[in-house]
Amino acid sequence: MASRRRRKSSSCHAGQREAALRYLDRLAEQGTAAETSSAVAEVLTEVAAIHGLLPPVREAVVRAWTTSSDLQGAALGEESEPIARLGDTTRSMSEAARVILHARDHAAHPAQRSATAPPPGRVHPPVSRHR
């Protein structure tokens, strides 16, 4: 009975994984096909927003890192270098989410940027008071 439940659970996970991969493929295609900055911002939101894809992936890695660290620490008395690096990776994932959301905000408001600042590389001559 337990092996049947395991097989059913395994096939359920495989189906969920396949659905997730299809979703990511569609999201990548949306990013490629985006014709507006707001369409790009929508894709970036799906990736990094609090209810997006990256936060739960990071959480899964954090939990695996914590468990692995606990298991190895109990067995060896200290955390191995690859496990310690995994902790650094989770911090990098958090930073990546912040960078992606900043880019999303930037993409979502292109008109506001151009109205407040001249394009880079453009030098405006000073206005002369003497005519």
Side-chain angles (χ1 to χ4, degrees), residues 17-115:
R17 185 176 23 257
E18 289 300 317
L21 292 173
R22 285 191 305 274
Y23 176 72
L24 289 170
D25 285 342
R26 282 193 308 271
L27 198 57
E29 288 175 18
Q30 281 181 297
T32 300
E35 294 183 5
T36 65
S37 293
S38 61
V40 170
E42 287 176 25
V43 171
L44 296 176
T45 297
E46 286 294 314
V47 171
I50 192 86
H51 299 293
L53 300 168
L54 192 53
V57 170
R58 181 194 170 277
E59 183 63 23
V61 174
V62 164
R63 290 179 185 202
W65 164 58
T66 302
T67 301
S68 182
S69 182
D70 290 348
L71 292 171
Q72 282 213 333
L76 302 174
E78 63 182 58
E79 188 175 69
S80 71
E81 195 257 336
I83 299 304
R85 290 185 64 205
L86 188 57
D88 293 338
T89 300
T90 63
R91 286 183 285 283
S92 295
M93 292 171 81
S94 292
E95 178 60 21
R98 283 189 289 278
V99 168
I100 291 167
L101 291 174
H102 182 72
R104 182 242 3 228
D105 294 345
H106 190 75
H109 304 289
Q112 290 177 356
R113 282 192 319 279
S114 63

XYZ file of all heavy atoms in Angstrom, residues 17-115:
736
model
N 5.549 19.108 -11.878
C 6.810 19.610 -12.415
C 6.669 19.949 -13.889
O 7.110 21.004 -14.342
C 7.924 18.574 -12.188
C 9.283 19.052 -12.599
C 10.411 18.074 -12.296
N 10.062 16.678 -12.146
C 9.960 16.029 -10.986
N 10.175 16.649 -9.860
N 9.646 14.752 -10.947
N 6.012 19.061 -14.642
C 5.795 19.317 -16.067
C 4.948 20.573 -16.282
O 5.242 21.388 -17.157
C 5.140 18.105 -16.744
C 6.063 16.907 -16.878
C 7.293 17.212 -17.709
O 7.180 17.868 -18.761
O 8.394 16.799 -17.287
N 3.910 20.745 -15.481
C 3.057 21.944 -15.585
C 3.875 23.194 -15.255
O 3.742 24.220 -15.926
C 1.851 21.826 -14.656
N 4.720 23.107 -14.235
C 5.553 24.252 -13.863
C 6.531 24.598 -14.983
O 6.733 25.782 -15.293
C 6.309 23.957 -12.571
N 7.122 23.583 -15.596
C 8.056 23.835 -16.698
C 7.349 24.446 -17.904
O 7.891 25.342 -18.556
C 8.786 22.546 -17.084
C 9.764 22.028 -16.030
C 10.307 20.664 -16.431
C 10.890 23.023 -15.794
N 6.130 23.980 -18.185
C 5.356 24.589 -19.282
C 5.056 26.050 -18.980
O 5.148 26.910 -19.850
C 4.062 23.815 -19.537
C 4.256 22.490 -20.276
C 2.937 21.896 -20.742
N 1.963 21.710 -19.668
C 1.903 20.631 -18.883
N 2.760 19.632 -19.050
N 0.986 20.536 -17.929
N 4.706 26.334 -17.728
C 4.429 27.711 -17.309
C 5.677 28.584 -17.498
O 5.603 29.700 -18.020
C 3.966 27.734 -15.856
C 3.758 29.132 -15.341
C 2.676 29.895 -15.772
C 4.649 29.691 -14.438
C 2.496 31.189 -15.309
C 4.466 30.972 -13.969
C 3.395 31.719 -14.410
O 3.223 32.995 -13.951
N 6.837 28.072 -17.097
C 8.076 28.832 -17.255
C 8.405 29.061 -18.730
O 8.873 30.137 -19.106
C 9.232 28.114 -16.557
C 9.176 28.146 -15.034
C 10.223 27.205 -14.450
C 9.351 29.553 -14.507
N 8.152 28.055 -19.561
C 8.361 28.216 -21.005
C 7.475 29.326 -21.559
O 7.925 30.170 -22.334
C 8.081 26.909 -21.757
C 9.181 25.874 -21.578
O 10.304 26.247 -21.168
O 8.914 24.685 -21.849
N 6.189 29.323 -21.153
C 5.265 30.377 -21.619
C 5.712 31.747 -21.119
O 5.655 32.734 -21.848
C 3.842 30.093 -21.160
C 3.129 29.029 -21.973
C 1.626 28.991 -21.708
N 1.274 28.898 -20.300
C 1.129 27.767 -19.618
N 1.314 26.609 -20.221
N 0.796 27.782 -18.341
N 6.191 31.809 -19.898
C 6.659 33.064 -19.341
C 7.879 33.580 -20.112
O 7.979 34.777 -20.410
C 6.996 32.862 -17.861
C 7.098 34.085 -16.985
C 5.810 34.899 -17.009
C 7.407 33.668 -15.557
N 8.793 32.691 -20.449
C 9.962 33.075 -21.247
C 9.527 33.586 -22.617
O 10.049 34.590 -23.112
C 10.914 31.891 -21.394
N 8.555 32.919 -23.211
C 8.040 33.369 -24.512
C 7.373 34.732 -24.392
O 7.523 35.575 -25.279
C 7.072 32.336 -25.083
C 7.769 31.080 -25.560
C 6.801 30.002 -26.014
O 5.626 30.313 -26.292
O 7.238 28.842 -26.089
N 6.639 34.961 -23.297
C 6.023 36.271 -23.075
C 7.099 37.350 -22.973
O 6.921 38.445 -23.505
C 5.210 36.284 -21.780
C 3.856 35.651 -21.894
C 3.138 35.739 -20.549
O 3.603 35.168 -19.553
N 2.044 36.451 -20.516
N 8.182 37.044 -22.304
C 9.273 38.005 -22.187
C 9.878 38.328 -23.537
O 10.174 39.483 -23.838
N 10.038 37.319 -24.373
C 10.592 37.523 -25.707
C 9.630 38.293 -26.605
O 10.043 39.150 -27.377
C 10.915 36.157 -26.360
O 11.861 35.478 -25.536
C 11.470 36.322 -27.755
N 8.348 38.002 -26.489
C 7.344 38.618 -27.363
C 6.830 39.965 -26.854
O 6.056 40.625 -27.551
C 6.163 37.662 -27.527
N 7.271 40.395 -25.688
C 6.772 41.650 -25.112
C 7.025 42.809 -26.066
O 8.114 42.953 -26.605
C 7.442 41.911 -23.764
N 5.993 43.606 -26.263
C 6.109 44.761 -27.158
C 6.044 46.085 -26.406
O 6.217 47.138 -27.011
C 5.012 44.698 -28.218
C 5.189 43.512 -29.156
C 4.159 43.480 -30.263
O 3.346 44.421 -30.372
O 4.182 42.502 -31.025
N 5.819 46.025 -25.111
C 5.771 47.242 -24.302
C 6.559 47.016 -23.016
O 6.762 45.875 -22.589
C 4.323 47.619 -23.918
O 3.792 46.588 -23.071
C 3.440 47.801 -25.151
N 6.955 48.117 -22.414
C 7.655 48.027 -21.126
C 6.762 47.436 -20.056
O 7.226 46.697 -19.191
C 8.122 49.418 -20.691
O 9.108 49.892 -21.559
N 5.470 47.725 -20.124
C 4.569 47.173 -19.104
C 4.431 45.661 -19.270
O 4.285 44.945 -18.274
C 3.206 47.862 -19.126
O 2.578 47.692 -20.365
N 4.524 45.147 -20.495
C 4.487 43.697 -20.703
C 5.740 43.044 -20.119
O 5.671 41.961 -19.530
C 4.348 43.368 -22.183
N 6.878 43.713 -20.270
C 8.122 43.222 -19.659
C 7.974 43.234 -18.138
O 8.334 42.273 -17.447
C 9.333 44.081 -20.093
C 10.572 43.721 -19.278
C 9.594 43.921 -21.576
N 7.409 44.313 -17.603
C 7.215 44.432 -16.158
C 6.321 43.319 -15.630
O 6.558 42.794 -14.535
C 6.629 45.801 -15.812
N 5.312 42.925 -16.389
C 4.429 41.834 -15.967
C 5.201 40.526 -15.834
O 4.999 39.778 -14.872
C 3.283 41.657 -16.964
C 2.240 42.752 -16.905
C 1.170 42.599 -17.969
O 0.932 41.459 -18.430
O 0.569 43.619 -18.330
N 6.080 40.253 -16.781
C 6.894 39.029 -16.725
C 7.805 39.070 -15.493
O 7.901 38.095 -14.748
C 7.711 38.838 -18.021
C 8.720 37.704 -17.872
C 6.779 38.587 -19.204
N 8.465 40.205 -15.269
C 9.370 40.326 -14.133
C 8.620 40.201 -12.808
O 9.139 39.640 -11.845
C 10.141 41.643 -14.206
C 11.076 41.777 -15.410
C 11.711 43.153 -15.431
C 12.116 40.684 -15.436
N 7.386 40.698 -12.778
C 6.558 40.553 -11.579
C 6.277 39.082 -11.309
O 6.360 38.626 -10.169
C 5.235 41.336 -11.735
O 5.543 42.725 -11.862
C 4.312 41.129 -10.560
N 5.948 38.329 -12.345
C 5.685 36.897 -12.182
C 6.905 36.163 -11.641
O 6.775 35.193 -10.912
C 5.267 36.264 -13.512
C 3.866 36.607 -13.934
C 2.824 36.025 -12.993
O 2.921 34.844 -12.634
O 1.917 36.777 -12.607
N 8.075 36.646 -11.984
C 9.298 35.984 -11.538
C 9.635 36.323 -10.096
O 9.882 35.430 -9.283
C 10.485 36.354 -12.461
C 11.802 35.851 -11.897
C 10.257 35.810 -13.872
N 9.628 37.593 -9.740
C 10.253 37.988 -8.480
C 9.335 38.576 -7.412
O 9.770 38.746 -6.286
C 11.368 38.998 -8.774
N 8.104 38.877 -7.737
C 7.221 39.479 -6.728
C 6.986 38.497 -5.586
O 7.220 37.291 -5.713
C 5.898 39.892 -7.360
N 6.480 38.999 -4.491
C 6.295 38.189 -3.280
C 5.483 36.917 -3.556
O 5.738 35.881 -2.969
C 5.676 39.031 -2.138
C 5.760 38.292 -0.816
C 4.245 39.399 -2.427
C 7.019 38.489 -0.096
N 4.541 36.973 -4.467
C 3.744 35.790 -4.820
C 4.183 35.224 -6.173
O 3.435 34.482 -6.807
C 2.251 36.136 -4.843
C 1.757 36.600 -3.509
N 1.693 35.771 -2.417
C 1.349 37.815 -3.087
C 1.243 36.452 -1.379
N 1.034 37.700 -1.756
N 5.396 35.577 -6.598
C 5.922 35.105 -7.868
C 6.647 33.773 -7.727
O 6.418 33.009 -6.783
N 7.546 33.504 -8.647
C 8.236 32.216 -8.709
C 9.499 32.145 -7.856
O 9.762 31.129 -7.218
C 8.601 31.916 -10.167
C 7.419 31.838 -11.122
C 7.898 31.833 -12.554
C 6.591 30.621 -10.813
N 10.275 33.201 -7.845
C 11.568 33.150 -7.165
C 11.458 32.997 -5.642
O 12.202 32.196 -5.065
C 12.401 34.377 -7.537
C 13.870 34.359 -7.146
C 14.571 33.103 -7.638
C 14.567 35.598 -7.669
N 10.566 33.708 -4.965
C 10.497 33.539 -3.503
C 10.243 32.104 -3.032
O 10.943 31.636 -2.128
C 9.384 34.507 -3.078
C 9.473 35.602 -4.101
C 9.751 34.860 -5.395
N 9.311 31.349 -3.630
C 9.148 29.971 -3.139
C 10.330 29.068 -3.515
O 10.649 28.142 -2.764
C 7.846 29.480 -3.774
C 7.484 30.465 -4.811
C 8.240 31.725 -4.550
N 10.992 29.350 -4.628
C 12.189 28.571 -4.982
C 13.270 28.838 -3.936
O 13.911 27.907 -3.432
C 12.686 28.927 -6.402
C 14.056 28.323 -6.670
C 11.683 28.464 -7.448
N 13.459 30.109 -3.583
C 14.430 30.456 -2.554
C 14.078 29.785 -1.238
O 14.944 29.247 -0.553
C 14.493 31.976 -2.371
C 15.506 32.389 -1.316
C 15.329 33.854 -0.889
N 16.151 34.131 0.261
C 15.807 33.867 1.522
N 14.649 33.321 1.796
N 16.618 34.150 2.522
N 12.795 29.799 -0.878
C 12.365 29.176 0.372
C 12.669 27.678 0.382
O 13.106 27.126 1.402
C 10.870 29.427 0.605
C 10.351 28.880 1.904
C 10.968 29.504 3.148
O 11.484 30.637 3.081
O 10.948 28.838 4.205
N 12.464 27.010 -0.748
C 12.774 25.581 -0.832
C 14.267 25.347 -0.630
O 14.672 24.420 0.090
C 12.322 25.017 -2.183
N 15.094 26.204 -1.227
C 16.543 26.068 -1.065
C 16.949 26.362 0.376
O 17.781 25.655 0.953
C 17.297 26.978 -2.071
C 18.802 26.951 -1.808
C 17.001 26.557 -3.508
N 16.359 27.394 0.987
C 16.675 27.724 2.385
C 16.354 26.540 3.293
O 17.151 26.170 4.156
C 15.898 28.985 2.847
C 15.904 29.118 4.368
C 16.476 30.229 2.201
N 15.180 25.950 3.107
C 14.793 24.824 3.966
C 15.707 23.620 3.761
O 16.100 22.954 4.726
C 13.335 24.451 3.722
C 12.390 25.509 4.258
C 10.966 25.149 3.999
N 10.079 26.218 4.408
C 8.809 26.041 4.691
N 8.262 24.839 4.603
N 8.061 27.058 5.045
N 16.066 23.340 2.511
C 16.979 22.228 2.247
C 18.356 22.521 2.837
O 18.994 21.637 3.429
C 17.083 21.973 0.745
N 18.823 23.762 2.707
C 20.116 24.162 3.267
C 20.106 24.024 4.791
O 21.034 23.478 5.375
C 20.427 25.599 2.852
C 21.520 26.256 3.649
C 22.806 25.823 3.789
C 21.414 27.451 4.406
N 23.513 26.694 4.598
C 22.677 27.714 4.980
C 20.378 28.350 4.647
C 22.923 28.811 5.784
C 20.636 29.453 5.442
C 21.887 29.669 5.996
N 19.038 24.495 5.423
C 18.937 24.413 6.882
C 18.959 22.964 7.350
O 19.696 22.599 8.272
C 17.649 25.111 7.371
O 17.680 26.470 6.936
C 17.518 25.066 8.869
N 18.176 22.128 6.690
C 18.128 20.718 7.065
C 19.478 20.048 6.831
O 19.984 19.337 7.705
C 17.029 19.988 6.277
O 15.779 20.615 6.559
C 16.967 18.512 6.627
N 20.066 20.298 5.669
C 21.360 19.693 5.359
C 22.433 20.163 6.340
O 23.255 19.374 6.806
C 21.760 20.049 3.933
O 22.977 19.449 3.603
N 22.393 21.450 6.656
C 23.352 21.999 7.613
C 23.193 21.337 8.974
O 24.181 20.966 9.615
C 23.141 23.506 7.715
O 24.069 24.075 8.590
N 21.945 21.171 9.407
C 21.684 20.503 10.689
C 22.169 19.060 10.668
O 22.802 18.593 11.616
C 20.195 20.543 11.028
C 19.703 21.935 11.384
O 20.538 22.846 11.603
O 18.473 22.117 11.419
N 21.883 18.350 9.581
C 22.285 16.946 9.486
C 23.799 16.804 9.445
O 24.363 15.955 10.127
C 21.662 16.299 8.244
C 20.146 16.114 8.272
C 19.647 15.671 6.903
C 19.741 15.127 9.357
N 24.454 17.623 8.640
C 25.914 17.532 8.549
C 26.583 18.013 9.823
O 27.578 17.454 10.248
C 26.423 18.335 7.355
C 26.227 17.618 6.066
C 27.325 17.933 5.090
O 27.942 18.983 5.142
N 27.562 17.009 4.185
N 26.025 19.062 10.420
C 26.590 19.571 11.673
C 26.535 18.533 12.765
O 27.472 18.377 13.538
N 25.441 17.771 12.805
C 25.298 16.720 13.811
C 26.266 15.579 13.525
O 26.825 14.986 14.439
C 23.865 16.201 13.827
N 26.494 15.290 12.233
C 27.360 14.169 11.877
C 28.841 14.533 11.954
O 29.654 13.747 12.411
C 27.027 13.687 10.464
N 29.208 15.719 11.508
C 30.613 16.088 11.412
C 31.079 17.072 12.480
O 32.271 17.276 12.653
C 30.892 16.722 10.038
C 30.563 15.877 8.814
C 30.744 16.689 7.551
C 31.461 14.653 8.780
N 30.136 17.720 13.106
C 30.510 18.733 14.070
C 30.692 20.107 13.454
O 30.922 21.075 14.142
N 30.622 20.193 12.133
C 30.723 21.488 11.454
C 30.086 21.393 10.071
O 29.899 20.310 9.530
C 32.172 21.945 11.339
C 33.030 21.014 10.486
C 34.471 21.473 10.433
O 35.084 21.591 11.502
O 34.959 21.710 9.314
N 29.762 22.554 9.499
C 29.121 22.626 8.188
C 30.182 22.520 7.095
O 31.224 23.171 7.170
C 28.382 23.972 8.101
C 27.514 24.142 6.895
C 26.740 25.446 6.959
O 27.360 26.514 6.854
O 25.520 25.374 7.126
N 29.921 21.697 6.076
C 30.874 21.571 4.979
C 30.843 22.816 4.099
O 29.889 23.580 4.104
C 30.554 20.336 4.139
O 29.368 20.548 3.395
N 31.900 23.011 3.357
C 32.018 24.193 2.492
C 30.904 24.269 1.444
O 30.321 25.333 1.262
C 33.412 24.220 1.856
C 33.759 25.554 1.246
C 33.653 25.560 -0.261
O 33.755 24.481 -0.870
O 33.446 26.647 -0.824
N 30.550 23.187 0.747
C 29.440 23.282 -0.220
C 28.116 23.678 0.441
O 27.338 24.448 -0.124
C 29.357 21.883 -0.827
C 30.716 21.310 -0.657
C 31.206 21.872 0.660
N 27.869 23.184 1.635
C 26.631 23.531 2.346
C 26.676 24.997 2.772
O 25.687 25.715 2.660
C 26.403 22.589 3.545
C 26.268 21.131 3.081
C 25.178 23.017 4.344
C 25.174 20.888 2.058
N 27.817 25.465 3.233
C 27.960 26.876 3.604
C 27.740 27.767 2.383
O 27.092 28.807 2.472
C 29.335 27.123 4.214
N 28.267 27.356 1.247
C 28.081 28.126 0.005
C 26.620 28.155 -0.406
O 26.165 29.129 -0.998
C 28.960 27.555 -1.104
C 30.439 27.830 -0.835
C 31.329 27.402 -1.947
N 31.041 28.182 -3.132
C 31.288 27.765 -4.375
N 31.855 26.601 -4.573
N 30.994 28.526 -5.394
N 25.882 27.106 -0.106
C 24.451 27.083 -0.406
C 23.738 28.197 0.361
O 22.843 28.858 -0.167
C 23.855 25.717 -0.071
C 22.419 25.475 -0.496
C 22.236 25.682 -1.988
C 21.996 24.073 -0.093
N 24.144 28.443 1.590
C 23.599 29.559 2.360
C 23.869 30.889 1.667
O 23.002 31.763 1.609
N 25.093 31.048 1.131
C 25.423 32.266 0.381
C 24.538 32.396 -0.854
O 24.122 33.489 -1.223
C 26.893 32.248 -0.056
C 27.855 32.334 1.124
O 27.441 32.813 2.203
O 29.023 31.921 0.951
N 24.239 31.279 -1.482
C 23.391 31.287 -2.670
C 21.988 31.765 -2.343
O 21.383 32.505 -3.123
C 23.354 29.876 -3.303
O 24.692 29.521 -3.670
C 22.459 29.824 -4.516
N 21.469 31.392 -1.199
C 20.122 31.852 -0.836
C 20.107 33.364 -0.657
O 19.140 34.025 -1.033
C 19.592 31.156 0.437
O 20.408 31.488 1.553
C 19.519 29.657 0.251
N 21.186 33.914 -0.106
C 21.279 35.375 0.013
C 21.359 36.008 -1.377
O 20.757 37.054 -1.621
C 22.463 35.771 0.882
C 22.208 35.502 2.365
C 23.341 35.960 3.249
N 24.511 35.096 3.218
C 24.596 33.933 3.853
N 23.593 33.480 4.570
N 25.689 33.212 3.770
N 22.084 35.388 -2.291
C 22.168 35.886 -3.663
C 20.803 35.844 -4.348
O 20.473 36.742 -5.126
C 23.167 35.062 -4.478
O 24.464 35.223 -3.958
N 20.021 34.822 -4.053
C 18.677 34.722 -4.636
C 17.791 35.864 -4.140
O 17.010 36.434 -4.911
C 18.050 33.368 -4.316
C 18.741 32.212 -5.020
S 18.158 30.604 -4.446
C 16.648 30.456 -5.404
N 17.920 36.219 -2.879
C 17.166 37.354 -2.332
C 17.578 38.643 -3.022
O 16.735 39.467 -3.382
C 17.402 37.489 -0.829
O 16.836 36.411 -0.147
N 18.867 38.826 -3.211
C 19.359 40.017 -3.895
C 18.890 40.032 -5.346
O 18.510 41.075 -5.876
C 20.890 40.089 -3.823
C 21.493 41.266 -4.548
C 21.037 42.631 -4.041
O 20.568 42.749 -2.897
O 21.142 43.603 -4.812
N 18.893 38.869 -5.995
C 18.415 38.789 -7.381
C 16.955 39.214 -7.471
O 16.567 39.939 -8.395
C 18.597 37.369 -7.923
N 16.143 38.800 -6.518
C 14.733 39.198 -6.514
C 14.612 40.711 -6.400
O 13.808 41.334 -7.107
C 13.979 38.506 -5.384
N 15.430 41.327 -5.540
C 15.387 42.792 -5.400
C 15.794 43.473 -6.700
O 15.181 44.453 -7.122
C 16.286 43.255 -4.254
C 15.670 43.026 -2.885
C 16.474 43.696 -1.786
N 17.752 43.055 -1.538
C 17.914 41.974 -0.774
N 16.882 41.419 -0.175
N 19.110 41.455 -0.600
N 16.831 42.973 -7.346
C 17.301 43.553 -8.610
C 16.225 43.413 -9.694
O 15.950 44.356 -10.444
C 18.627 42.888 -9.055
C 18.988 43.259 -10.486
C 19.747 43.271 -8.095
N 15.606 42.253 -9.776
C 14.558 42.015 -10.771
C 13.376 42.951 -10.530
O 12.835 43.550 -11.474
C 14.111 40.537 -10.755
C 15.240 39.645 -11.284
C 12.837 40.338 -11.580
C 15.035 38.166 -11.018
N 12.972 43.110 -9.275
C 11.847 44.002 -8.977
C 12.200 45.460 -9.260
O 11.358 46.231 -9.724
C 11.385 43.820 -7.536
C 10.724 42.474 -7.262
C 10.424 42.314 -5.785
C 9.469 42.295 -8.102
N 13.437 45.845 -9.027
C 13.863 47.208 -9.361
C 13.790 47.411 -10.879
O 13.312 48.455 -11.347
C 15.280 47.459 -8.830
C 15.773 48.840 -9.083
N 15.302 49.934 -8.406
C 16.684 49.314 -9.964
C 15.900 51.022 -8.849
N 16.744 50.666 -9.793
N 14.250 46.433 -11.637
C 14.167 46.509 -13.101
C 12.713 46.547 -13.552
O 12.353 47.268 -14.482
C 14.897 45.323 -13.737
N 11.865 45.772 -12.879
C 10.433 45.779 -13.186
C 9.857 47.167 -12.985
O 9.133 47.689 -13.825
C 9.717 44.771 -12.294
C 8.239 44.646 -12.545
C 7.249 44.981 -11.477
N 7.654 45.484 -10.218
C 7.223 45.027 -9.055
N 6.422 43.989 -9.007
N 7.590 45.603 -7.939
N 10.179 47.786 -11.851
C 9.675 49.136 -11.576
C 10.170 50.126 -12.624
O 9.431 51.002 -13.055
C 10.107 49.589 -10.177
C 9.455 48.766 -9.082
O 8.468 48.040 -9.358
O 9.956 48.831 -7.937
N 11.405 49.956 -13.021
C 11.993 50.815 -14.041
C 11.270 50.625 -15.383
O 10.950 51.593 -16.057
C 13.483 50.476 -14.167
C 14.261 51.420 -14.993
N 14.629 52.665 -14.548
C 14.763 51.302 -16.233
C 15.321 53.274 -15.486
N 15.419 52.469 -16.511
N 10.997 49.376 -15.732
C 10.317 49.085 -17.003
C 8.857 49.538 -16.977
O 8.307 49.931 -17.999
C 10.384 47.588 -17.309
N 8.243 49.493 -15.809
C 6.818 49.817 -15.708
C 6.540 51.307 -15.866
O 5.408 51.680 -16.166
C 6.269 49.336 -14.363
N 7.547 52.143 -15.690
C 7.323 53.591 -15.715
C 8.306 54.308 -16.644
O 8.977 55.238 -16.224
C 7.437 54.159 -14.298
C 6.519 53.498 -13.339
N 5.160 53.675 -13.373
C 6.772 52.630 -12.328
C 4.605 52.957 -12.414
N 5.564 52.296 -11.771
N 8.376 53.924 -17.928
C 9.358 54.551 -18.816
C 9.051 56.022 -19.096
O 9.962 56.824 -19.236
C 9.280 53.726 -20.096
C 7.907 53.148 -20.067
C 7.599 52.925 -18.614
N 7.787 56.415 -19.146
C 7.432 57.798 -19.454
C 7.862 58.732 -18.331
O 8.292 59.846 -18.579
C 5.934 57.907 -19.692
N 7.764 58.293 -17.093
C 8.155 59.129 -15.965
C 9.650 59.396 -15.983
O 10.087 60.479 -15.670
C 7.765 58.460 -14.650
C 6.275 58.434 -14.416
C 5.923 57.689 -13.141
O 6.776 57.123 -12.466
N 4.644 57.673 -12.823
N 10.448 58.414 -16.377
C 11.895 58.611 -16.432
C 12.249 59.643 -17.478
O 13.024 60.535 -17.246
C 12.604 57.297 -16.748
C 12.733 56.380 -15.593
C 13.694 55.255 -15.908
N 13.566 54.707 -17.244
C 12.666 53.827 -17.625
N 11.789 53.389 -16.772
N 12.629 53.374 -18.851
N 11.663 59.531 -18.673
C 12.052 60.429 -19.752
C 11.564 61.850 -19.507
O 12.145 62.800 -19.985
C 11.539 59.906 -21.094
O 10.124 59.884 -21.080
N 10.490 62.014 -18.740
C 9.984 63.348 -18.454
C 10.838 64.063 -17.418
O 10.880 65.286 -17.390
C 8.542 63.260 -17.954
